[in-house]
Each structure stands twice: as structure tokens, then as C-alpha cells.
Amino acid sequence: MTPPPARRRRTGATGTAPAHNLPRRGTVRRAQAITTYGVGSLIAVDHESFVVSGLDKAEESWSADEAPKIHERRLARLLDVDYFRLPPASGDNSKDGLRVRRFPLMHSCPECNELQRHREFNPPAGRSVCGMCEVELVPSRFVVACESGHLDEFPYWQWVHRSTDRGAAALGQCGGKLNLRTSGHTSSLRSILVSCTCGKAPEVSMEGSFRRNALKDLGLKCRGARPWLGSSAAPEECGLPLRTLQRGSSAVWQPVLKSALSIPPWSDTRTDPLAEHWDALRQYDRREHVEIYLKGVFKGECPVSLDEVMTLLDAEREEDPDGTEGPSFDHRYRALRNKEYERLVSGNDESEHSRNEQFVCETPLGDQSVLRPLGITGPMLVKKLREVRALKAFTRLADPDATTDSREMPLSGASMRWLPAMEVRGEGVFVRLNEDRLDAWEKASAVAARIERMRAAHQRMLEQRVSDPSRIVPSPATPRMVLLHTLAHVLINEWSLEAGYPAASLRERLYAADDMAGVLIYTATSDSAGSLGGLVAQGEPELLDRTIRSALHRAEWCSSDPLCMETEASGSGGTNLAACHACVMLPETSCEHNNILLDRALIVGTPDSPRVGYFAETFGH
């Protein structure tokens, strides 16, 4: 990251100097504070490394004008919070930004080769240089983490003294100092050498430190460190096995993101003043009781009519799965998606609503019968939409899809009634598959066989990533899910080529279940890319027909064929079949499932089994 230019002293929200005159390092975009550099993640700025601080003091440091509240009732209810907040900007004109703490603390000097904590080098104030050599210090390349989300320093003392008295080494009581140097013979871990001046242990390399049981063999277990919460946060009881990771590895931090579309009746901004009162309003069943509560809260006239409030309460109760008040998180999230699917199918005409409406979904004017031979039905033009994406928690060592809530690390030490989030405003095209044709296709034995191979591979990967067998979640791989997922990818790739959209500016949203078979492709950035009607225009039936046929013909052939089409397994852990970066894979920002569970053959078929493709009839098979 490029450090910001020199600038005047920062001021707080009231124009005065901040309570703490904290030094400033680098810049982060608001979207990155949710997806890339969220709480608990490691961020490199020039030669320094930091961990993004927790949210315990964010209520004080985030000014209201730079970090405004965001309201999305359906998502807030799902995540059990009152509201969301946009992360503060960290540009040249911002008053504050994200707070960070130095981590890892272990640094080495490339001149004198000493390896010790940052403060022990006695660097000048505001600089990260060796006090003796005056050269830039290098943060430790290695950290350790556990599946519960804890993060700690790599145990260099124990690693060097593993053949000597471990008790004294663990406390650093051998009387020596650590040194780290690189032999320069290779770029492997074998060339990174660590030694101690005590002379009681030989110089050792870092080779073998990444083995799954490398630290367990040293008798080391996780001590529950949470450096992002500061030194005042007491370690949690843990004891899980530790894994060595490179500081920049993606396994060090993975966000747990949850999102929701703003749909009627919640998509009108006039309901925002009621955001913090819904839990209380739900306690009342009778209209007169709701009216009394609103008069007491707003000291007069409520900004939303009583009829609208009652309608909103009824709509919220409809999203209670099975009519229960305490469903599981997964059931509530499915209910949220079900309501979105229903609204995308039914539409929401702009002429019937005010200009404050954030969701406009209309039926195209063209003849939809041209799409019938493709097995596509009921496309909808989403001319206006708003999506809120919230950072719920984070995980380490495992993809969020491979874990449950018990392994998710919260963003603060104390319970909070809000979460950081960002909102995207744009447009999209919603496409459904013909249910009758889809049902017949799903029952084909060749289709079931391919899906079973993918599902089994994905299930093995989930089992390998979770140490507790009782916490293994089932793979979501089903014929319609993989088909919709792959179709979304080929359409995004086609629109990026034909309509001029960067693939990273488009995003998929899958609706795959026994009673759902649709995909929404929409603009997924907070800037103006594709928000001027260009994407909506692609949803008109005649143009959509040409686009899908072109995408299908392009998907017939990959530059890696026949290897790509005939492979028995591909992708991470063998979770893909006919799918690679040359044909259907997308940028990570565009895909809901991290580019797994993809199979081009389920769209176009294979040379040996053409009927395995849902669109086989398009090619005359």
C-alpha cells in the first residue's frame, strides 16, 4: 500500500484534536474494511505489519458523519443487531480511520540479524528501524493460528530449543538472543535459519514448521490470544492445535459476510426512523397497543402511518420459518432468501411507488416465448436494487462455508448491537429455469453421478477442515445448485465480453432449493460501473436469447480441452469437474461460493454424454 502524503494535524468530529494523537499509516477503502481488511485481519503497509483492531471503542472513534448508520431490517433481524454502520473513510480528508495495532511483534534486522520484539530494537518514535543499524525492520513472516480464530506469534524460542530444555526455552531463560538469517541458497524454508546465542541449541531452519502437527509435537497448544483486542483483553481458554501460517496467507483471515436485498415493504427509506423499535413493536399484537407505543416514542406524529407499521409487522412475522420465534440461523437465512425470490418473481413496478423506493423489478416488454426453447422462463429486469453486506464475524484456517457459528470469532470483546456493513446500489437481471424441464433433467442418472462426485469431494474437504466431527456441515451440492452456479458464471463472462462490464463489477446471487431455481446477476460495486441501465438492457428477451446462446457456444470449448472437459476432478479439493480459469471461473468478488461446485458439462454436455447438459436441446442433442 502507498502511504498517504504529508498532511496537517487531524481533527476530531468537533474540530478539535483527537483524544489520542495516533500516527497514521496507509489508506483503506470502505469496501476493503468489510471484505479484505476487516477486524482481526493483517494488513501490510510498506515495511510494517498491523492487525485491524476490534470494534469495542469504535462507537467513540467512528464519527457519525464519516461512519453513518445503515438500516436493513431483514438483515439486522437475522444477525440480531439494531443497525449497521459504514466503516470510516481513510482518505486525505478524513478525520479518523480504522484503528490498527502492530502485529506480529517479533521483528528481525537484516543488518545485525537479531530477532526480537519490536520495542527491544529501541526504534525512534514513529519509525520502524533498528536503533543500532538504522535499517528497516522486517516483521516476522510467520504467525500461528487455531480453528477458533485465535492468532499468536510464532514460537521461535521453542522451535530453536526443541532439542534442549523446553521449559527454560519457553520462558526465554536460556540467557541468549535469537538471530534470523537467510542462507540465500534457495527461496525455500530450508534457507531461513534461526539460532540462539546461548550455544545450547544448533542453528535450525524453518523447514517442517508448516506441518500440521509440527507445533503439537513441541507440546504447544493455543493459548487463546486475541491481539486485535489489545493487551487488555485476557486470553480465552482454548487448547486447540496451532498451525503455522505465512503472514500474508488467505487462511489467516476469512470474512463471514451476510447480505440481503432491500425488498418491499422494507425498501422505502421512510421506515428508517423505526429501525431501533421493531423488537419492541413485535411484542404487541393489537393495533391500539402499537399506536400507543408509537405516540410515546415519537412524542407526537409518527413518520410512518399506523397502517404501514401494521403491514410491516405482518411481513416480518411471515419470515418466521414454520411460525416459530426461535429458528436456527440457517433456517432464518433460507427464509430471507425465499422472500427475495418471491419478490423477484412477482416484481415491483416503479410507477406504483414513490421515488424513495429502493427496489424496482419489472417484466420485460419483449416476447418471452423466444426463451422457451432454452428452458428459461420469466426473466425480470431489476432496474433498481440495494444490497447491504455486513461483516458478521471472521474465521481462520477454514472457509466460512466449512464452519458453524461456534467457530466464528466475534468482532469485539463485548456484545454489540451493531455491525460494520456496506451498501451497494445498482441493477440486475433475474433469470429462472423451467421447473418441468429442470425436474426431468435432475432425475437423469448421468447428472446424479457427476453431482455425487462433486458432493463427495466437497464433503471430504469439509471434514478435513473441521477437527470436531460433530460440527461438520453437509455440502450444498445439488444438480440445480451446480447448474445455476455455472450458468451464472458463463453469463457474467459473456456480459463482460459483449456488454463491456468488468467481470469483477458483476455478482451472482443464487436461489437454488426445492422450490427455487433462479439466479440474479447484478452490479456489485459501490461506484457507477453498470448502474446506468446497461445491464438491465441485457435482460430484454431477444437480446437475452442471443446472449445465452452465445455464452453456451463459448462454453462448449475451453482452451484447456480436452483436459478440462474430461478431467475426473479439478479445483480446490476436487470440488469442480469441467471448470477452470480459462472457461468459467470468475474473480472472487463475483462468486458466492469461492469458485467451487462448478461443472461446464452440466450446461453443454460432454462428447460421450451430450444429454447430461441442461441445454443439450439447444445444440440438437
Side-chain angles (χ1 to χ4, degrees):
M1 296 177 61
T2 304
R7 41 182 270 158
R8 61 181 176 82
R9 180 185 179 93
R10 291 178 292 124
T11 58
T14 60
T16 59
H20 302 284
N21 190 20
L22 301 175
R24 190 176 189 120
R25 297 286 190 273
T27 59
V28 170
R29 297 194 306 272
R30 280 172 161 160
Q32 288 180 311
I34 301 294
T35 60
T36 310
Y37 299 124
V39 171
S41 65
L42 297 184
I43 179 171
V45 183
D46 290 340
H47 299 285
E48 301 180 83
S49 175
F50 304 93
V51 62
V52 180
S53 300
L55 299 179
D56 291 285
K57 297 183 179 180
E59 197 70 46
E60 306 169 8
S61 62
W62 290 14
S63 62
D65 56 340
E66 289 194 338
K69 290 183 179 181
I70 298 175
H71 298 292
E72 173 47 56
R73 173 57 186 168
R74 298 168 65 247
L75 186 61
R77 183 184 172 212
L78 174 74
L79 300 178
D80 192 26
V81 295
D82 295 331
Y83 57 90
F84 305 99
R85 292 191 70 179
L86 191 68
S90 59
D92 293 340
N93 298 323
S94 63
K95 300 169 184 174
D96 212 322
L98 295 178
R99 301 294 174 91
V100 297
R101 292 180 169 89
R102 190 178 298 279
F103 186 87
L105 298 180
M106 293 296 290
H107 284 62
S108 61
C109 174
E111 187 72 24
C112 62
N113 294 330
E114 287 193 4
L115 174 65
Q116 56 191 359
R117 289 182 174 268
H118 185 270
R119 66 173 180 269
E120 294 172 358
F121 284 99
N122 295 319
R127 300 184 62 193
S128 182
V129 299
C130 178
M132 295 291 292
C133 308
E134 295 189 354
V135 298
E136 296 281 354
L137 295 175
V138 180
S140 170
R141 283 177 53 187
F142 311 105
V143 296
V144 295
C146 78
E147 287 185 354
S148 283
H150 300 120
L151 184 69
D152 210 345
E153 306 277 349
F154 181 83
Y156 288 103
W157 283 101
Q158 292 90 331
W159 186 252
V160 171
H161 296 85
R162 59 183 184 268
S163 60
T164 60
D165 180 8
R166 293 181 185 172
L171 299 173
Q173 295 176 348
C174 65
K177 289 187 175 182
L178 293 175
N179 287 325
L180 183 146
R181 68 181 184 90
T182 303
S183 67
H185 296 155
T186 68
S187 58
S188 66
L189 294 175
R190 183 181 299 177
S191 294
I192 302 176
L193 305 173
V194 186
S195 61
C196 182
T197 58
C198 68
K200 299 177 183 178
E203 185 177 55
V204 299
S205 74
M206 292 297 294
E207 187 176 24
S209 59
F210 282 76
R211 288 188 299 107
R212 179 175 289 270
N213 294 323
L215 302 181
K216 182 179 180 181
D217 294 341
L218 296 180
L220 299 176
K221 294 183 179 180
C222 179
R223 59 193 185 103
R226 297 175 293 172
W228 60 95
L229 298 181
S231 56
S232 59
E236 295 181 316
E237 291 186 10
C238 186
L240 287 177
L242 288 168
R243 291 278 303 278
T244 303
L245 299 169
Q246 290 212 55
R247 176 164 46 88
S249 168
S250 61
V252 170
W253 188 83
Q254 286 285 340
V256 180
L257 297 173
K258 298 299 177 183
S259 67
L261 300 181
S262 296
I263 61 173
W266 303 98
S267 52
D268 194 320
T269 56
R270 294 186 304 107
T271 64
D272 288 353
L274 297 173
E276 299 178 29
H277 302 287
W278 289 117
D279 288 338
L281 288 169
R282 277 184 65 107
Q283 306 304 314
Y284 304 108
D285 294 326
R286 301 181 62 178
R287 182 185 179 94
E288 54 267 28
H289 293 166
V290 173
E291 184 177 16
I292 293 172
Y293 177 86
L294 293 175
K295 287 183 177 179
V297 168
F298 291 98
K299 309 298 183 185
E301 185 177 355
C302 178
V304 183
S305 71
L306 182 59
D307 288 340
E308 289 180 280
V309 173
M310 298 305 297
T311 300
L312 291 167
L313 287 172
D314 291 340
E316 183 167 286
R317 293 188 178 102
E318 285 181 9
E319 292 197 29
D320 291 335
D322 303 323
T324 60
E325 285 292 329
S328 68
F329 183 87
D330 290 339
H331 279 85
R332 289 159 55 203
Y333 195 53
R334 281 198 295 269
L336 181 145
R337 286 290 182 109
N338 286 340
K339 284 298 179 183
E340 290 180 3
Y341 183 77
E342 291 176 8
R343 179 53 69 173
L344 286 166
V345 171
S346 62
N348 190 45
D349 198 305
E350 184 175 22
S351 62
E352 300 175 2
H353 302 277
S354 70
R355 61 181 179 181
N356 292 327
E357 179 61 48
Q358 297 173 325
F359 181 84
V360 176
C361 180
E362 300 177 352
T363 304
L365 299 176
D367 182 10
Q368 298 187 27
S369 63
V370 298
L371 296 171
R372 193 173 298 125
L374 292 173
I376 301 293
T377 184
M380 298 295 285
L381 308 181
V382 187
K383 296 184 176 180
K384 186 188 295 186
L385 65 80
R386 171 181 180 261
E387 181 195 19
V388 175
R389 300 177 196 158
L391 178 62
K392 176 177 181 280
F394 63 88
T395 65
R396 305 197 196 277
L397 297 177
D399 189 289
D401 291 337
T403 188
T404 59
D405 290 348
S406 61
R407 295 296 189 185
E408 294 175 359
M409 182 60 69
L411 307 181
S412 59
S415 177
M416 297 182 61
R417 297 301 302 168
W418 63 275
L419 290 171
M422 62 174 290
E423 57 182 352
V424 173
R425 300 177 187 271
E427 61 191 34
V429 176
F430 176 67
V431 175
R432 282 188 294 152
L433 300 183
N434 183 287
E435 286 285 354
D436 294 335
R437 180 168 165 176
L438 183 61
D439 289 340
W441 173 82
E442 286 178 312
K443 295 174 182 177
S445 59
V447 172
R450 292 187 72 89
I451 292 298
E452 178 56 28
R453 284 158 55 189
M454 300 172 69
R455 189 207 62 79
H458 190 217
Q459 196 65 47
R460 283 195 302 271
M461 185 177 71
L462 297 179
E463 293 171 358
Q464 292 169 359
R465 288 182 172 182
V466 180
S467 57
D468 184 359
S470 65
R471 297 178 48 255
I472 297 174
V473 296
S475 169
T478 63
R480 68 175 59 196
M481 181 269 169
V482 177
L483 172 63
L484 286 167
H485 192 197
T486 311
L487 176 62
H489 278 227
V490 299
L491 283 176
I492 289 176
N493 277 330
E494 186 68 21
W495 277 329
S496 71
L497 294 171
E498 299 294 333
Y501 286 92
S505 72
L506 301 177
R507 187 175 175 87
E508 66 182 9
R509 193 169 181 86
L510 305 181
Y511 299 90
D514 293 339
D515 55 348
M516 297 190 296
V519 58
L520 172 66
I521 299 175
Y522 62 105
T523 53
T525 60
S526 55
D527 59 21
S528 60
S531 61
L532 299 175
L535 184 58
V536 167
Q538 305 299 314
E540 288 295 338
E542 295 81 5
L543 186 54
L544 182 60
D545 176 65
R546 293 198 300 270
T547 298
I548 293 177
R549 291 180 184 275
S550 175
L552 295 178
H553 284 295
R554 202 183 301 275
E556 277 190 290
W557 178 253
C558 170
S559 60
S560 297
D561 279 342
L563 179 64
C564 177
M565 181 60 77
E566 297 177 359
T567 184
E568 293 296 321
S570 67
S572 176
T575 52
N576 291 336
L577 288 181
C580 69
H581 286 285
C583 52
V584 300
M585 288 190 176
L586 292 176
E588 290 183 2
T589 56
S590 301
C591 181
E592 281 194 309
H593 294 280
N594 298 316
N595 276 322
I596 65 172
L597 304 179
L598 295 165
D599 184 10
R600 186 164 47 95
L602 295 184
I603 290 182
V604 299
T606 66
D608 296 333
S609 182
R611 301 295 297 180
V612 77
Y614 176 82
F615 297 98
E617 295 180 11
T618 305
F619 305 101
H621 298 318

